[in-house]
Amino acid sequence: EGPGCGPDPVNGFRFLKEAYLATDPEYDGHVSVPVLWDKSTSRIVSNNFPDISLDLGSEFKAWARSPLELYPPARRAEIDALNDTIYETVNDGVYRTGFAASQHQYEANVGRVFETLDQIEHRLASRRYLLGDEITESDVRLWVTLARFDAVYYSHFKVNLRRVVDYPALWDYARDLYR
């Protein structure tokens, strides 16, 4: 174990499965991230990734230190539509590609991933974030896949027509989000 490695500092869990079992001792389902853990009740209250960031920005807004609004009411329909595309073709698209059961499925899925990335590249050529000058929930949704794309999905899942670094605007955007 090195610096920053080891049991989590809140509960001492070494594996996420322990959090699931603390919530439900009979749990034998899939263990996934992220999870929203309630320290007061010592249980997972959500592992529904599409809702966690939305909940943090709305249900927990009173406790936030940042005025950042990732899901502004006036833009929710636009954000939801973009999130649906990002999830279907990029977030889940890399998994559909990597676990395709046939060459035909692989080609269809990899094509959809890069069709969306090409559209995003075009979009980012004229704006800082997906929906303009302000970061939104859509940027967060895309970031989680971009952060792993070149290192994992490109090589291990064979989603390898291009790397994120091969898209000038997308690469600048990914580095900007990282900062």
Side-chain angles (χ1 to χ4, degrees), residues 54 70-85 123 131 136-138:
L54 297 177
L70 294 176
Y71 196 56
R75 302 212 64 188
R76 288 183 180 171
E78 187 179 13
I79 291 168
D80 290 345
L82 187 53
N83 284 354
D84 288 346
T85 299
R123 177 186 287 256
L131 296 175
T136 67
E137 167 70 15
S138 297

Side-chain angles (χ1 to χ4, degrees), residues 139-160:
D139 298 293
V140 173
R141 295 276 176 102
L142 182 58
W143 164 248
V144 298
T145 300
L146 294 181
R148 297 183 294 246
F149 196 92
D150 290 3
V152 177
Y153 305 127
Y154 180 86
S155 57
H156 297 296
F157 285 25
K158 305 297 184 217
V159 187
N160 56 11

Side-chain angles (χ1 to χ4, degrees), residues 3-4 10 17 20 43 48 66 73 101 104 106-108 114 125 136 143:
V10 175
K17 174 103 178 170
Y20 279 82
R43 57 182 290 126
N48 186 8
S66 171
H104 176 73
Y106 168 83
E107 289 172 4
F114 286 99
T136 67
W143 164 248

Side-chain angles (χ1 to χ4, degrees), residues 83-128:
N83 284 354
D84 288 346
T85 299
I86 289 169
Y87 175 76
E88 180 74 22
T89 63
V90 180
N91 301 137
D92 196 46
V94 295
Y95 288 92
R96 291 176 191 211
T97 301
F99 295 110
S102 70
Q103 185 65 29
H104 176 73
Q105 286 178 344
Y106 168 83
E107 289 172 4
N109 291 322
V110 78
R112 291 177 75 203
V113 170
F114 286 99
E115 180 181 318
T116 300
L117 291 180
D118 291 347
Q119 291 168 358
I120 290 170
E121 172 71 10
H122 180 74
R123 177 186 287 256
L124 292 172
S126 63
R127 61 185 84 178
R128 181 174 183 185

